[in-house]
Amino acid sequence: MTDYPNLREFRIEESRDGIIHLVFDMPGRTMNVFSNAAIHEIGRFADWLRGSDVRGVVLRSGKATGFCAGADLNELGVAYDMIMASPAEERTRVAYDHFFPLSRGLRALETAGKPVAVAVDGLALGGGCEFALAAHYRVLTDNPKTALGLPESLVGLLPGAGGTQRMPRVVGVEAALPILLDGGRFTPATALAAGLAHAVVAPGEEVAAAEHWILSAPEASQPWDRTDAPAIDLKAVSALIDAAWSRALGQPGEFYPAPFAILDCIRGGIGQDMDRAIAWEMTVFAGLIQRPEPRNMIQTLFLGKLEHDRRAKADTLPPSLDLVKAAVLGALRFECERAGDEALAKAALDVLGLGAAMAAIRAAAPVEAAAQMPAKAGHFWFENDQDRPERALAARLLLASAAAAGKVTVAEADRRTVDYAMVSGLGYPAYVGGPLALARYRDERAKARLVA
């Protein structure tokens, strides 16, 4: 057992009786995330494992902070730009080929013919949870910080490494939906009750428990790969998905495409074998990643939040923040008053998810009317002609507030911080990235039309 694959994000340690540990320990990081390098190392390790003579593998973290926090969202932004720079007819294939290696690697790991146990102490979220789901046996520590979840929908994406396929098969569709759609998490106790965890032990005992299972000579296969795999009631699944779809259509939920893509993944994959299921999941993911909403939400809700929280702690929030907020609220008030119908104005604000900000809007000083972006077909719902009055007004509210925000001088380094503050504090729609992001998008669209 000495001819190991060359790894950098992971390391291999020999244990006892033919057991090895695959230790996730990214150099220079306080928490593990799935970078492109880590993703491809999983594939190399899984391919090596199939032909090795090891007795079994324990997956664990080398970090005291937790197992894995998910994807490297900075790399996701780079990937988005790369995909969108490709010819339109090639983008889906480019996206599929770029993101599928993790699905392929995890599938190779669970079918390598060797028992794989995972020992989780701390957070295992997103890709970290999908990594754990690909193990045959899951041990969690009874630690308040230990949790498993798939929060990709919170940044406009879906779990693209088998999460929409394995989680429903492990815990059932009904229990999986809040995890997949709402960013819910399993604690050690709820994971054990749901069948997601096979054992919960005191911190420090998880590796020994994982090794004990491997030494019991277990079957090295997943339930869905066995001939006696339990049948899935597709009619019941369809009813659950239909109900979840209806709930997601509530305003302003319908403007966030991720929940519908997740439900499409489950509906189209749950009745298929795992290889076809993960291929279907990635097909849906490759379409979703091309939309602007995930990119905007990652930029604002993740990167913007990090910047905002760091600057708030240092008491260095930009002064332009208050100016942008005043401009946004003033433009919203102006458009509501111009509509001349309070009920219609409230309905339009509800469409945008800004109903809770009504008191602030009423108290704001109105601003002068802003130029409107012509209603033409585009990526977002508000760029199309609206056949319902509240939708038409909501589109005007959104565009006018972005135009007003765009008139405020904001340093480039402050833009994400300001947008996050508007999204988190005011409830401004995250799918547009915030008023400044929408103002920039609006300007870019106008320039594109001039060039065309």
Side-chain angles (χ1 to χ4, degrees):
M1 296 193 300
T2 56
D3 190 19
Y4 296 131
N6 184 28
L7 306 176
R8 181 175 182 275
E9 312 298 289
F10 295 83
R11 67 175 181 271
I12 297 173
E13 295 181 355
E14 295 183 8
S15 184
R16 55 176 177 145
D17 300 315
I19 296 174
I20 62 169
H21 293 182
L22 180 65
V23 185
F24 199 176
D25 197 4
M26 298 182 75
R29 298 266 194 157
T30 57
M31 171 62 88
N32 295 317
V33 294
F34 266 118
S35 62
N36 287 329
I39 287 168
H40 287 281
E41 286 185 10
I42 286 287
R44 288 204 299 276
F45 175 80
D47 291 341
W48 168 86
L49 182 63
R50 182 177 296 276
S52 76
D53 61 352
V54 303
R55 185 167 183 174
V57 180
V58 174
L59 310 176
R60 64 178 178 88
S61 171
K63 309 289 187 190
T65 51
F67 184 67
C68 175
D72 185 328
L73 293 181
N74 286 297
E75 286 191 1
L76 271 178
V78 173
Y80 175 88
D81 291 339
M82 178 268 294
I83 292 163
M84 299 311 291
S86 303
E89 66 276 9
E90 292 291 317
R91 289 173 188 165
T92 298
R93 180 192 59 79
V94 170
Y96 191 107
D97 291 346
H98 180 81
F99 289 106
F100 195 60
L102 183 53
S103 293
R104 184 185 298 116
L106 295 183
R107 183 66 179 143
L109 183 68
E110 70 181 3
T111 59
K114 309 291 183 181
V116 178
V118 62
V120 178
D121 181 39
L123 291 178
L125 301 178
C129 182
E130 291 175 298
F131 195 12
L133 282 166
H136 305 113
Y137 191 78
R138 290 173 287 279
V139 182
L140 275 58
T141 61
D142 187 13
N143 176 350
K145 295 182 179 179
T146 298
L148 273 67
L150 297 167
E152 285 85 350
S153 65
L154 301 182
V155 290
L157 288 172
L158 62 88
T164 69
Q165 304 306 313
R166 292 188 181 91
M167 185 63 81
R169 286 167 169 80
V170 171
V171 304
V173 172
E174 187 170 12
L177 287 177
I179 308 300
L180 290 164
L181 299 178
D182 306 324
R185 297 181 182 183
F186 282 105
T187 65
T190 59
L192 187 64
L196 177 59
H198 296 90
V200 174
V201 300
E205 298 179 6
E206 65 275 13
V207 172
E211 289 188 343
H212 179 75
W213 175 79
I214 291 173
L215 293 173
S216 70
E219 184 177 358
S221 65
Q222 297 282 27
W224 43 84
D225 289 325
R226 299 170 191 160
T227 56
D228 60 348
I232 296 172
D233 187 341
L234 295 179
K235 186 175 180 180
V237 169
S238 182
L240 288 169
I241 292 174
D242 288 345
W245 193 284
S246 296
R247 288 193 297 273
L249 284 174
Q251 301 288 16
E254 64 182 293
F255 305 131
Y256 291 84
F260 303 102
I262 289 168
L263 293 172
D264 276 341
C265 284
I266 301 172
R267 193 191 299 273
I270 197 73
Q272 302 193 59
D273 63 63
M274 187 56 71
D275 291 305
R276 290 187 178 91
I278 61 172
W280 166 246
E281 176 189 76
M282 184 49 58
T283 299
V284 178
F285 183 95
L288 179 64
I289 194 66
Q290 297 175 53
R291 294 195 57 86
E293 294 93 343
R295 183 176 187 273
N296 287 335
M297 293 172 73
I298 290 169
Q299 288 288 320
T300 301
L301 296 176
F302 178 71
L303 300 176
K305 181 182 187 302
L306 290 176
E307 293 172 7
H308 178 278
D309 291 353
R310 173 180 56 80
R311 296 180 65 171
K313 186 176 182 180
D315 197 23
T316 58
L317 288 174
S320 56
L321 194 156
D322 289 334
L323 298 175
V324 170
K325 182 177 180 180
V328 167
L329 290 173
L332 292 171
R333 176 173 173 176
F334 181 91
E335 292 296 331
C336 287
E337 290 179 345
R338 190 166 72 160
D341 185 331
E342 186 170 347
L344 177 61
K346 184 181 185 307
L349 289 168
D350 285 342
V351 166
L352 301 177
L354 284 163
M358 177 66 85
I361 291 165
R362 285 174 174 161
V367 300
E368 62 183 76
Q372 298 298 310
M373 184 168 73
K376 289 190 175 182
H379 287 296
F380 291 109
W381 67 270
F382 52 81
E383 295 179 81
N384 301 312
D385 292 331
Q386 302 297 318
D387 58 359
R388 287 158 51 183
E390 72 277 11
R391 293 292 187 87
L393 179 55
R396 293 207 309 271
L397 291 169
L398 200 54
L399 296 171
S401 61
K407 292 180 179 180
V408 179
T409 300
V410 181
E412 186 65 30
D414 296 340
R415 296 179 71 89
R416 284 197 302 224
T417 296
V418 173
D419 270 336
Y420 172 73
M422 296 302 102
V423 170
S424 62
L426 188 61
Y428 205 85
Y431 57 82
V432 299
L436 296 177
L438 180 55
R440 175 165 287 175
Y441 171 82
R442 183 176 179 272
D443 291 343
E444 290 173 350
R445 293 279 290 169
K447 289 176 184 177
R449 285 195 301 276
L450 288 174
V451 171

